[in-house]
């Protein structure tokens, strides 16, 4: 009887030893939505299934490309991003990590910091060494960048330089590809541009703003396509959306195979199956009336 049980027991032990335990989840930081039934829920938007963090990691680990969409001012999103990149690195070889927050003119500085860190020589002024842009709150991104630059995985810039943005704004180059140029996509993006500028943007500026938005998505997709796999891109939630953002440009570049999109969303915000593959609900930041600020009220 003992001999009969021995093989199954050894098989079970081997399977357990082969599983990598997920690191502890970060403590929630944002103050709103702490009593919501959605808090902490991870959902497969295709099947409706609720997943554990370990199940999400298992599905993402098999993907050649993963996009994580964030709300830039939510500290819980940044903490979960750090958790995700660390946990995925323990489960599969890391090909590359790409950030919307890094521009091409920072790439040489980022590479130099990674080279120094590999020798055990971390710069005292990491913000300065990375030529970090003040528009991205270092208190949010600092822990993620500090961990990433110490890894052998290439950390890659994925955005446009400011000079490129200004050229696009002036000249509005023609975008190529049926998915990203479809009328419903462009109409939805134009409406978001109007809304995000609180209706204060003159209609004459809308075509240029749309060109900048879509060329930024195209650049993110181009960098993502050529990055070593498995690749992970962290970007704002609108860039991450399957129905409006980078995934459409990956389709036009014939590079969307195996893509998985994880949307980090504050509780109470609906995420449709057309927008992402998975959603992970977090607490929310207090609401801010940006339109009132823009109007000077």
């Amino acid at each position: 009887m003992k001999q009969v049980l021995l093989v199954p027991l050894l098989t079970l032990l081997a399977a357990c030893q082969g599983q990598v335990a997920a690191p502890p989840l970060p403590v929630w930081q944002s103050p709103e939505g702490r009593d919501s039934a959605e808090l902490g829920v991870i959902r497969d938007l295709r099947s409706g299934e609720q997943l554990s963090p370990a199940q999400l990691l298992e599905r993402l680990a098999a993907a050649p490309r993963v996009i994580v969409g964030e709300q830039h001012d939510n500290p819980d999103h940044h903490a979960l991003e750090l958790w995700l990149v660390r946990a995925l690195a323990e489960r599969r070889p890391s090909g590359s990590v790409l950030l919307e927050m890094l521009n091409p003119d920072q790439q040489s500085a980022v590479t130099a910091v990674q080279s120094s860190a590999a020798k055990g020589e971390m710069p005292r002024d990491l913000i300065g060494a990375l030529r970090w842009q003040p528009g991205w709150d270092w208190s949010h991104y600092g822990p993620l960048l500090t961990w990433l630059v110490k890894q052998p995985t290439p950390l890659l810039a994925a955005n446009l330089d400011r000079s490129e943005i200004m050229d696009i704004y002036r000249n509005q180059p023609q975008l190529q590809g049926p998915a990203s140029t479809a009328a419903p996509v462009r109409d939805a993006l134009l409406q978001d541009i109007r809304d995000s500028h609180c209706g204060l943007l003159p209609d004459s500026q809308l075509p240029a703003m749309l060109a900048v938005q879509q060329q930024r998505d195209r650049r993110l997709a181009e960098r993502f396509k050529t990055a070593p796999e498995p690749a992970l891109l962290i970007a704002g939630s609108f860039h991450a959306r399957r129905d409006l953002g980078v995934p459409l440009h990956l389709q036009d570049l014939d590079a969307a195979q195996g893509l998985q999109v994880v949307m980090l969303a504050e509780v109470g915000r609906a995420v449709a199956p057309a927008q992402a593959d998975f959603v992970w609900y977090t607490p929310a930041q207090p609401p801010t009336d940006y339109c009132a600020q823009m109007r000077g009220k």
Side-chain angles (χ1 to χ4, degrees):
M1 184 68 176
K2 290 181 181 179
Q3 290 179 339
V4 174
L5 290 175
L6 183 59
V7 173
L9 180 59
L10 289 176
T11 302
L12 178 61
L13 288 172
C16 292
Q17 290 170 354
Q19 293 177 351
V20 179
L25 288 170
V27 177
W28 297 128
Q29 301 174 60
S30 300
E32 306 285 337
R34 294 294 190 94
D35 57 352
S36 171
E38 288 183 322
L39 182 60
V41 168
I42 305 170
R43 196 168 302 284
D44 184 326
L45 292 169
R46 294 160 296 188
S47 68
E49 178 185 4
Q50 185 169 326
L51 305 177
S52 68
Q55 288 174 315
L56 176 65
L57 290 172
E58 180 183 352
R59 300 183 190 196
L60 297 182
R65 294 185 182 92
V66 173
I67 301 178
V68 180
E70 66 170 33
Q71 181 171 309
H72 296 313
D73 65 353
N74 189 309
D76 293 301
H77 292 193
H78 303 294
L80 285 180
E81 287 161 356
L82 176 56
W83 183 89
L84 280 167
V85 296
R86 292 181 62 183
L88 285 172
E90 294 173 356
R91 282 162 172 73
R92 49 127 172 94
S94 295
S96 56
V97 175
L98 301 90
L99 298 182
E100 176 201 350
M101 304 82 203
L102 291 173
N103 294 349
D105 60 9
Q106 296 172 264
Q107 187 63 67
S108 60
V110 173
T111 302
V113 169
Q114 283 200 281
S115 178
S116 297
K119 302 171 187 174
E121 302 170 359
M122 279 289 287
R124 292 184 179 179
D125 178 14
L126 184 55
I127 296 175
L130 293 172
R131 298 173 57 194
W132 188 255
Q133 301 170 89
W136 302 108
D137 189 339
W138 182 254
S139 68
H140 289 327
Y141 293 96
L144 176 65
L145 268 294
T146 301
W147 188 85
L148 286 172
V149 298
K150 295 177 183 178
Q151 308 311 308
T153 303
L155 177 58
L156 303 176
N159 210 330
L160 296 164
D161 282 329
R162 179 163 180 78
S163 60
E164 293 178 294
I165 291 174
M166 295 308 297
D167 184 61
I168 292 166
Y169 187 88
R170 287 190 296 264
N171 299 312
Q172 301 169 41
Q174 188 72 30
L175 190 66
Q176 301 296 323
S180 58
T181 60
V185 172
R186 294 171 64 84
D187 290 345
L189 288 172
L190 282 169
Q191 188 59 51
D192 177 71
I193 292 168
R194 290 189 189 94
D195 294 343
S196 63
H197 290 81
C198 308
L200 301 175
L201 197 67
D203 285 349
S204 60
Q205 292 186 30
L206 290 176
M209 296 293 288
L210 176 62
V212 169
Q213 174 74 17
Q214 291 210 287
Q215 290 294 335
R216 180 178 277 124
D217 284 339
R218 178 57 57 94
R219 172 60 61 81
L220 291 166
E222 289 171 343
R223 294 290 287 151
F224 207 18
K225 177 181 178 178
T226 59
E229 296 179 10
L232 185 144
L233 168 65
I234 294 174
S237 58
F238 230 75
H239 294 299
R241 280 178 55 164
R242 276 192 171 276
D243 59 338
L244 296 178
V246 174
L248 293 179
H249 295 263
L250 288 172
Q251 284 181 240
D252 288 335
L253 296 172
D254 193 27
Q257 301 85 354
L259 173 69
Q260 299 289 333
V261 177
V262 181
M263 199 68 74
L264 305 177
E266 294 184 339
V267 293
R269 295 206 172 184
V271 179
Q275 298 173 356
D277 301 293
F278 308 99
V279 61
W280 194 337
Y281 286 106
T282 74
Q285 285 290 288
T288 301
D289 191 344
Y290 293 105
C291 290
Q293 294 178 6
M294 292 181 70
R295 295 187 178 102
K297 295 181 181 180

mmCIF file with all atom_site columns, all heavy atoms in Angstrom, residues 18-41:
data_model
loop_
_atom_site.group_PDB
_atom_site.id
_atom_site.type_symbol
_atom_site.label_atom_id
_atom_site.label_alt_id
_atom_site.label_comp_id
_atom_site.label_asym_id
_atom_site.label_entity_id
_atom_site.label_seq_id
_atom_site.pdbx_PDB_ins_code
_atom_site.Cartn_x
_atom_site.Cartn_y
_atom_site.Cartn_z
_atom_site.occupancy
_atom_site.B_iso_or_equiv
_atom_site.pdbx_formal_charge
_atom_site.auth_seq_id
_atom_site.auth_comp_id
_atom_site.auth_asym_id
_atom_site.auth_atom_id
_atom_site.pdbx_PDB_model_num
ATOM 1   N N   . GLY A 1 18 ? 7.535   23.039 -7.511 1.00 0.00 ? 18 GLY A N   1
ATOM 2   C CA  . GLY A 1 18 ? 7.662   23.760 -8.774 1.00 0.00 ? 18 GLY A CA  1
ATOM 3   C C   . GLY A 1 18 ? 6.862   25.037 -8.811 1.00 0.00 ? 18 GLY A C   1
ATOM 4   O O   . GLY A 1 18 ? 7.097   25.901 -9.655 1.00 0.00 ? 18 GLY A O   1
ATOM 5   N N   . GLN A 1 19 ? 5.906   25.205 -7.911 1.00 0.00 ? 19 GLN A N   1
ATOM 6   C CA  . GLN A 1 19 ? 5.089   26.402 -7.884 1.00 0.00 ? 19 GLN A CA  1
ATOM 7   C C   . GLN A 1 19 ? 5.839   27.529 -7.169 1.00 0.00 ? 19 GLN A C   1
ATOM 8   O O   . GLN A 1 19 ? 6.474   27.313 -6.149 1.00 0.00 ? 19 GLN A O   1
ATOM 9   C CB  . GLN A 1 19 ? 3.759   26.135 -7.178 1.00 0.00 ? 19 GLN A CB  1
ATOM 10  C CG  . GLN A 1 19 ? 2.844   25.177 -7.928 1.00 0.00 ? 19 GLN A CG  1
ATOM 11  C CD  . GLN A 1 19 ? 1.574   24.871 -7.162 1.00 0.00 ? 19 GLN A CD  1
ATOM 12  O OE1 . GLN A 1 19 ? 1.444   25.247 -6.010 1.00 0.00 ? 19 GLN A OE1 1
ATOM 13  N NE2 . GLN A 1 19 ? 0.648   24.190 -7.811 1.00 0.00 ? 19 GLN A NE2 1
ATOM 14  N N   . VAL A 1 20 ? 5.766   28.711 -7.733 1.00 0.00 ? 20 VAL A N   1
ATOM 15  C CA  . VAL A 1 20 ? 6.418   29.865 -7.134 1.00 0.00 ? 20 VAL A CA  1
ATOM 16  C C   . VAL A 1 20 ? 5.365   30.661 -6.369 1.00 0.00 ? 20 VAL A C   1
ATOM 17  O O   . VAL A 1 20 ? 4.359   31.077 -6.936 1.00 0.00 ? 20 VAL A O   1
ATOM 18  C CB  . VAL A 1 20 ? 7.064   30.753 -8.214 1.00 0.00 ? 20 VAL A CB  1
ATOM 19  C CG1 . VAL A 1 20 ? 7.729   31.958 -7.571 1.00 0.00 ? 20 VAL A CG1 1
ATOM 20  C CG2 . VAL A 1 20 ? 8.065   29.948 -9.016 1.00 0.00 ? 20 VAL A CG2 1
ATOM 21  N N   . ALA A 1 21 ? 5.595   30.827 -5.083 1.00 0.00 ? 21 ALA A N   1
ATOM 22  C CA  . ALA A 1 21 ? 4.635   31.568 -4.272 1.00 0.00 ? 21 ALA A CA  1
ATOM 23  C C   . ALA A 1 21 ? 4.657   33.039 -4.673 1.00 0.00 ? 21 ALA A C   1
ATOM 24  O O   . ALA A 1 21 ? 5.717   33.623 -4.916 1.00 0.00 ? 21 ALA A O   1
ATOM 25  C CB  . ALA A 1 21 ? 4.969   31.418 -2.792 1.00 0.00 ? 21 ALA A CB  1
ATOM 26  N N   . ALA A 1 22 ? 3.473   33.633 -4.749 1.00 0.00 ? 22 ALA A N   1
ATOM 27  C CA  . ALA A 1 22 ? 3.388   35.054 -5.078 1.00 0.00 ? 22 ALA A CA  1
ATOM 28  C C   . ALA A 1 22 ? 3.855   35.871 -3.878 1.00 0.00 ? 22 ALA A C   1
ATOM 29  O O   . ALA A 1 22 ? 3.605   35.510 -2.726 1.00 0.00 ? 22 ALA A O   1
ATOM 30  C CB  . ALA A 1 22 ? 1.957   35.417 -5.438 1.00 0.00 ? 22 ALA A CB  1
ATOM 31  N N   . PRO A 1 23 ? 4.551   36.984 -4.115 1.00 0.00 ? 23 PRO A N   1
ATOM 32  C CA  . PRO A 1 23 ? 4.943   37.843 -2.993 1.00 0.00 ? 23 PRO A CA  1
ATOM 33  C C   . PRO A 1 23 ? 3.716   38.451 -2.335 1.00 0.00 ? 23 PRO A C   1
ATOM 34  O O   . PRO A 1 23 ? 2.640   38.508 -2.945 1.00 0.00 ? 23 PRO A O   1
ATOM 35  C CB  . PRO A 1 23 ? 5.804   38.919 -3.661 1.00 0.00 ? 23 PRO A CB  1
ATOM 36  C CG  . PRO A 1 23 ? 5.399   38.906 -5.099 1.00 0.00 ? 23 PRO A CG  1
ATOM 37  C CD  . PRO A 1 23 ? 4.989   37.508 -5.413 1.00 0.00 ? 23 PRO A CD  1
ATOM 38  N N   . PRO A 1 24 ? 3.839   38.899 -1.094 1.00 0.00 ? 24 PRO A N   1
ATOM 39  C CA  . PRO A 1 24 ? 2.683   39.516 -0.414 1.00 0.00 ? 24 PRO A CA  1
ATOM 40  C C   . PRO A 1 24 ? 2.180   40.724 -1.197 1.00 0.00 ? 24 PRO A C   1
ATOM 41  O O   . PRO A 1 24 ? 2.963   41.495 -1.750 1.00 0.00 ? 24 PRO A O   1
ATOM 42  C CB  . PRO A 1 24 ? 3.254   39.937 0.948  1.00 0.00 ? 24 PRO A CB  1
ATOM 43  C CG  . PRO A 1 24 ? 4.483   39.113 1.129  1.00 0.00 ? 24 PRO A CG  1
ATOM 44  C CD  . PRO A 1 24 ? 5.031   38.860 -0.237 1.00 0.00 ? 24 PRO A CD  1
ATOM 45  N N   . LEU A 1 25 ? 0.874   40.873 -1.220 1.00 0.00 ? 25 LEU A N   1
ATOM 46  C CA  . LEU A 1 25 ? 0.286   42.022 -1.904 1.00 0.00 ? 25 LEU A CA  1
ATOM 47  C C   . LEU A 1 25 ? 0.532   43.302 -1.114 1.00 0.00 ? 25 LEU A C   1
ATOM 48  O O   . LEU A 1 25 ? 0.602   43.277 0.118  1.00 0.00 ? 25 LEU A O   1
ATOM 49  C CB  . LEU A 1 25 ? -1.224  41.814 -2.074 1.00 0.00 ? 25 LEU A CB  1
ATOM 50  C CG  . LEU A 1 25 ? -1.647  40.776 -3.114 1.00 0.00 ? 25 LEU A CG  1
ATOM 51  C CD1 . LEU A 1 25 ? -3.137  40.500 -2.993 1.00 0.00 ? 25 LEU A CD1 1
ATOM 52  C CD2 . LEU A 1 25 ? -1.308  41.250 -4.518 1.00 0.00 ? 25 LEU A CD2 1
ATOM 53  N N   . PRO A 1 26 ? 0.680   44.415 -1.801 1.00 0.00 ? 26 PRO A N   1
ATOM 54  C CA  . PRO A 1 26 ? 0.878   45.691 -1.093 1.00 0.00 ? 26 PRO A CA  1
ATOM 55  C C   . PRO A 1 26 ? -0.365  46.087 -0.309 1.00 0.00 ? 26 PRO A C   1
ATOM 56  O O   . PRO A 1 26 ? -1.484  45.686 -0.640 1.00 0.00 ? 26 PRO A O   1
ATOM 57  C CB  . PRO A 1 26 ? 1.169   46.685 -2.218 1.00 0.00 ? 26 PRO A CB  1
ATOM 58  C CG  . PRO A 1 26 ? 0.587   46.069 -3.447 1.00 0.00 ? 26 PRO A CG  1
ATOM 59  C CD  . PRO A 1 26 ? 0.707   44.586 -3.266 1.00 0.00 ? 26 PRO A CD  1
ATOM 60  N N   . VAL A 1 27 ? -0.156  46.885 0.708  1.00 0.00 ? 27 VAL A N   1
ATOM 61  C CA  . VAL A 1 27 ? -1.255  47.417 1.515  1.00 0.00 ? 27 VAL A CA  1
ATOM 62  C C   . VAL A 1 27 ? -1.911  48.560 0.742  1.00 0.00 ? 27 VAL A C   1
ATOM 63  O O   . VAL A 1 27 ? -1.235  49.383 0.129  1.00 0.00 ? 27 VAL A O   1
ATOM 64  C CB  . VAL A 1 27 ? -0.729  47.926 2.876  1.00 0.00 ? 27 VAL A CB  1
ATOM 65  C CG1 . VAL A 1 27 ? -1.860  48.559 3.684  1.00 0.00 ? 27 VAL A CG1 1
ATOM 66  C CG2 . VAL A 1 27 ? -0.085  46.785 3.646  1.00 0.00 ? 27 VAL A CG2 1
ATOM 67  N N   . TRP A 1 28 ? -3.253  48.586 0.754  1.00 0.00 ? 28 TRP A N   1
ATOM 68  C CA  . TRP A 1 28 ? -3.960  49.653 0.053  1.00 0.00 ? 28 TRP A CA  1
ATOM 69  C C   . TRP A 1 28 ? -3.602  51.012 0.643  1.00 0.00 ? 28 TRP A C   1
ATOM 70  O O   . TRP A 1 28 ? -3.462  51.158 1.859  1.00 0.00 ? 28 TRP A O   1
ATOM 71  C CB  . TRP A 1 28 ? -5.468  49.450 0.137  1.00 0.00 ? 28 TRP A CB  1
ATOM 72  C CG  . TRP A 1 28 ? -6.013  48.219 -0.491 1.00 0.00 ? 28 TRP A CG  1
ATOM 73  C CD1 . TRP A 1 28 ? -6.832  47.295 0.093  1.00 0.00 ? 28 TRP A CD1 1
ATOM 74  C CD2 . TRP A 1 28 ? -5.820  47.760 -1.856 1.00 0.00 ? 28 TRP A CD2 1
ATOM 75  N NE1 . TRP A 1 28 ? -7.155  46.298 -0.805 1.00 0.00 ? 28 TRP A NE1 1
ATOM 76  C CE2 . TRP A 1 28 ? -6.545  46.560 -2.011 1.00 0.00 ? 28 TRP A CE2 1
ATOM 77  C CE3 . TRP A 1 28 ? -5.092  48.256 -2.942 1.00 0.00 ? 28 TRP A CE3 1
ATOM 78  C CZ2 . TRP A 1 28 ? -6.576  45.849 -3.208 1.00 0.00 ? 28 TRP A CZ2 1
ATOM 79  C CZ3 . TRP A 1 28 ? -5.108  47.542 -4.137 1.00 0.00 ? 28 TRP A CZ3 1
ATOM 80  C CH2 . TRP A 1 28 ? -5.842  46.361 -4.260 1.00 0.00 ? 28 TRP A CH2 1
ATOM 81  N N   . GLN A 1 29 ? -3.499  52.021 -0.230 1.00 0.00 ? 29 GLN A N   1
ATOM 82  C CA  . GLN A 1 29 ? -3.118  53.362 0.199  1.00 0.00 ? 29 GLN A CA  1
ATOM 83  C C   . GLN A 1 29 ? -4.214  54.411 -0.042 1.00 0.00 ? 29 GLN A C   1
ATOM 84  O O   . GLN A 1 29 ? -4.346  55.349 0.733  1.00 0.00 ? 29 GLN A O   1
ATOM 85  C CB  . GLN A 1 29 ? -1.852  53.806 -0.545 1.00 0.00 ? 29 GLN A CB  1
ATOM 86  C CG  . GLN A 1 29 ? -0.659  52.885 -0.326 1.00 0.00 ? 29 GLN A CG  1
ATOM 87  C CD  . GLN A 1 29 ? 0.515   53.280 -1.202 1.00 0.00 ? 29 GLN A CD  1
ATOM 88  O OE1 . GLN A 1 29 ? 1.023   54.395 -1.118 1.00 0.00 ? 29 GLN A OE1 1
ATOM 89  N NE2 . GLN A 1 29 ? 0.957   52.362 -2.046 1.00 0.00 ? 29 GLN A NE2 1
ATOM 90  N N   . SER A 1 30 ? -4.965  54.280 -1.126 1.00 0.00 ? 30 SER A N   1
ATOM 91  C CA  . SER A 1 30 ? -5.971  55.286 -1.459 1.00 0.00 ? 30 SER A CA  1
ATOM 92  C C   . SER A 1 30 ? -7.142  55.219 -0.481 1.00 0.00 ? 30 SER A C   1
ATOM 93  O O   . SER A 1 30 ? -7.493  54.135 0.002  1.00 0.00 ? 30 SER A O   1
ATOM 94  C CB  . SER A 1 30 ? -6.456  55.085 -2.890 1.00 0.00 ? 30 SER A CB  1
ATOM 95  O OG  . SER A 1 30 ? -5.375  55.198 -3.805 1.00 0.00 ? 30 SER A OG  1
ATOM 96  N N   . PRO A 1 31 ? -7.782  56.354 -0.206 1.00 0.00 ? 31 PRO A N   1
ATOM 97  C CA  . PRO A 1 31 ? -8.769  56.395 0.879  1.00 0.00 ? 31 PRO A CA  1
ATOM 98  C C   . PRO A 1 31 ? -10.192 56.024 0.510  1.00 0.00 ? 31 PRO A C   1
ATOM 99  O O   . PRO A 1 31 ? -10.985 55.655 1.391  1.00 0.00 ? 31 PRO A O   1
ATOM 100 C CB  . PRO A 1 31 ? -8.718  57.863 1.319  1.00 0.00 ? 31 PRO A CB  1
ATOM 101 C CG  . PRO A 1 31 ? -8.359  58.606 0.061  1.00 0.00 ? 31 PRO A CG  1
ATOM 102 C CD  . PRO A 1 31 ? -7.436  57.704 -0.701 1.00 0.00 ? 31 PRO A CD  1
ATOM 103 N N   . GLU A 1 32 ? -10.559 56.123 -0.773 1.00 0.00 ? 32 GLU A N   1
ATOM 104 C CA  . GLU A 1 32 ? -11.961 55.949 -1.155 1.00 0.00 ? 32 GLU A CA  1
ATOM 105 C C   . GLU A 1 32 ? -12.257 54.518 -1.594 1.00 0.00 ? 32 GLU A C   1
ATOM 106 O O   . GLU A 1 32 ? -11.409 53.822 -2.140 1.00 0.00 ? 32 GLU A O   1
ATOM 107 C CB  . GLU A 1 32 ? -12.305 56.898 -2.314 1.00 0.00 ? 32 GLU A CB  1
ATOM 108 C CG  . GLU A 1 32 ? -11.983 58.360 -2.057 1.00 0.00 ? 32 GLU A CG  1
ATOM 109 C CD  . GLU A 1 32 ? -12.978 59.010 -1.118 1.00 0.00 ? 32 GLU A CD  1
ATOM 110 O OE1 . GLU A 1 32 ? -14.114 58.499 -1.017 1.00 0.00 ? 32 GLU A OE1 1
ATOM 111 O OE2 . GLU A 1 32 ? -12.628 60.032 -0.490 1.00 0.00 ? 32 GLU A OE2 1
ATOM 112 N N   . GLY A 1 33 ? -13.507 54.069 -1.342 1.00 0.00 ? 33 GLY A N   1
ATOM 113 C CA  . GLY A 1 33 ? -13.953 52.764 -1.817 1.00 0.00 ? 33 GLY A CA  1
ATOM 114 C C   . GLY A 1 33 ? -13.477 51.583 -0.999 1.00 0.00 ? 33 GLY A C   1
ATOM 115 O O   . GLY A 1 33 ? -13.520 50.440 -1.464 1.00 0.00 ? 33 GLY A O   1
ATOM 116 N N   . ARG A 1 34 ? -13.060 51.832 0.233  1.00 0.00 ? 34 ARG A N   1
ATOM 117 C CA  . ARG A 1 34 ? -12.538 50.741 1.065  1.00 0.00 ? 34 ARG A CA  1
ATOM 118 C C   . ARG A 1 34 ? -13.617 49.726 1.444  1.00 0.00 ? 34 ARG A C   1
ATOM 119 O O   . ARG A 1 34 ? -13.308 48.591 1.782  1.00 0.00 ? 34 ARG A O   1
ATOM 120 C CB  . ARG A 1 34 ? -11.904 51.308 2.337  1.00 0.00 ? 34 ARG A CB  1
ATOM 121 C CG  . ARG A 1 34 ? -10.662 52.158 2.120  1.00 0.00 ? 34 ARG A CG  1
ATOM 122 C CD  . ARG A 1 34 ? -9.494  51.348 1.574  1.00 0.00 ? 34 ARG A CD  1
ATOM 123 N NE  . ARG A 1 34 ? -8.259  52.109 1.593  1.00 0.00 ? 34 ARG A NE  1
ATOM 124 C CZ  . ARG A 1 34 ? -7.357  52.069 2.579  1.00 0.00 ? 34 ARG A CZ  1
ATOM 125 N NH1 . ARG A 1 34 ? -7.568  51.307 3.634  1.00 0.00 ? 34 ARG A NH1 1
ATOM 126 N NH2 . ARG A 1 34 ? -6.252  52.777 2.498  1.00 0.00 ? 34 ARG A NH2 1
ATOM 127 N N   . ASP A 1 35 ? -14.890 50.153 1.401  1.00 0.00 ? 35 ASP A N   1
ATOM 128 C CA  . ASP A 1 35 ? -15.977 49.242 1.785  1.00 0.00 ? 35 ASP A CA  1
ATOM 129 C C   . ASP A 1 35 ? -16.676 48.630 0.576  1.00 0.00 ? 35 ASP A C   1
ATOM 130 O O   . ASP A 1 35 ? -17.706 47.968 0.703  1.00 0.00 ? 35 ASP A O   1
ATOM 131 C CB  . ASP A 1 35 ? -17.006 49.966 2.657  1.00 0.00 ? 35 ASP A CB  1
ATOM 132 C CG  . ASP A 1 35 ? -17.595 51.204 1.968  1.00 0.00 ? 35 ASP A CG  1
ATOM 133 O OD1 . ASP A 1 35 ? -17.092 51.578 0.888  1.00 0.00 ? 35 ASP A OD1 1
ATOM 134 O OD2 . ASP A 1 35 ? -18.534 51.793 2.519  1.00 0.00 ? 35 ASP A OD2 1
ATOM 135 N N   . SER A 1 36 ? -16.123 48.828 -0.605 1.00 0.00 ? 36 SER A N   1
ATOM 136 C CA  . SER A 1 36 ? -16.750 48.297 -1.826 1.00 0.00 ? 36 SER A CA  1
ATOM 137 C C   . SER A 1 36 ? -16.542 46.797 -1.952 1.00 0.00 ? 36 SER A C   1
ATOM 138 O O   . SER A 1 36 ? -15.462 46.278 -1.646 1.00 0.00 ? 36 SER A O   1
ATOM 139 C CB  . SER A 1 36 ? -16.165 48.996 -3.061 1.00 0.00 ? 36 SER A CB  1
ATOM 140 O OG  . SER A 1 36 ? -16.601 48.363 -4.244 1.00 0.00 ? 36 SER A OG  1
ATOM 141 N N   . ALA A 1 37 ? -17.563 46.108 -2.425 1.00 0.00 ? 37 ALA A N   1
ATOM 142 C CA  . ALA A 1 37 ? -17.443 44.672 -2.664 1.00 0.00 ? 37 ALA A CA  1
ATOM 143 C C   . ALA A 1 37 ? -16.484 44.375 -3.806 1.00 0.00 ? 37 ALA A C   1
ATOM 144 O O   . ALA A 1 37 ? -15.995 43.251 -3.932 1.00 0.00 ? 37 ALA A O   1
ATOM 145 C CB  . ALA A 1 37 ? -18.825 44.090 -2.987 1.00 0.00 ? 37 ALA A CB  1
ATOM 146 N N   . GLU A 1 38 ? -16.203 45.375 -4.650 1.00 0.00 ? 38 GLU A N   1
ATOM 147 C CA  . GLU A 1 38 ? -15.280 45.192 -5.765 1.00 0.00 ? 38 GLU A CA  1
ATOM 148 C C   . GLU A 1 38 ? -13.818 45.263 -5.347 1.00 0.00 ? 38 GLU A C   1
ATOM 149 O O   . GLU A 1 38 ? -12.940 44.843 -6.098 1.00 0.00 ? 38 GLU A O   1
ATOM 150 C CB  . GLU A 1 38 ? -15.499 46.297 -6.819 1.00 0.00 ? 38 GLU A CB  1
ATOM 151 C CG  . GLU A 1 38 ? -16.763 46.197 -7.624 1.00 0.00 ? 38 GLU A CG  1
ATOM 152 C CD  . GLU A 1 38 ? -16.811 47.316 -8.664 1.00 0.00 ? 38 GLU A CD  1
ATOM 153 O OE1 . GLU A 1 38 ? -16.378 48.450 -8.343 1.00 0.00 ? 38 GLU A OE1 1
ATOM 154 O OE2 . GLU A 1 38 ? -17.261 47.046 -9.778 1.00 0.00 ? 38 GLU A OE2 1
ATOM 155 N N   . LEU A 1 39 ? -13.538 45.812 -4.177 1.00 0.00 ? 39 LEU A N   1
ATOM 156 C CA  . LEU A 1 39 ? -12.163 46.089 -3.792 1.00 0.00 ? 39 LEU A CA  1
ATOM 157 C C   . LEU A 1 39 ? -11.308 44.827 -3.837 1.00 0.00 ? 39 LEU A C   1
ATOM 158 O O   . LEU A 1 39 ? -11.620 43.817 -3.198 1.00 0.00 ? 39 LEU A O   1
ATOM 159 C CB  . LEU A 1 39 ? -12.123 46.692 -2.388 1.00 0.00 ? 39 LEU A CB  1
ATOM 160 C CG  . LEU A 1 39 ? -10.728 47.084 -1.882 1.00 0.00 ? 39 LEU A CG  1
ATOM 161 C CD1 . LEU A 1 39 ? -10.101 48.128 -2.785 1.00 0.00 ? 39 LEU A CD1 1
ATOM 162 C CD2 . LEU A 1 39 ? -10.802 47.579 -0.444 1.00 0.00 ? 39 LEU A CD2 1
ATOM 163 N N   . GLY A 1 40 ? -10.230 44.885 -4.596 1.00 0.00 ? 40 GLY A N   1
ATOM 164 C CA  . GLY A 1 40 ? -9.303  43.766 -4.701 1.00 0.00 ? 40 GLY A CA  1
ATOM 165 C C   . GLY A 1 40 ? -9.715  42.692 -5.676 1.00 0.00 ? 40 GLY A C   1
ATOM 166 O O   . GLY A 1 40 ? -8.960  41.745 -5.908 1.00 0.00 ? 40 GLY A O   1
ATOM 167 N N   . VAL A 1 41 ? -10.897 42.817 -6.271 1.00 0.00 ? 41 VAL A N   1
ATOM 168 C CA  . VAL A 1 41 ? -11.387 41.794 -7.197 1.00 0.00 ? 41 VAL A CA  1
ATOM 169 C C   . VAL A 1 41 ? -10.580 41.853 -8.489 1.00 0.00 ? 41 VAL A C   1
ATOM 170 O O   . VAL A 1 41 ? -10.332 42.920 -9.045 1.00 0.00 ? 41 VAL A O   1
ATOM 171 C CB  . VAL A 1 41 ? -12.892 41.990 -7.493 1.00 0.00 ? 41 VAL A CB  1
ATOM 172 C CG1 . VAL A 1 41 ? -13.342 41.113 -8.670 1.00 0.00 ? 41 VAL A CG1 1
ATOM 173 C CG2 . VAL A 1 41 ? -13.706 41.673 -6.248 1.00 0.00 ? 41 VAL A CG2 1
#
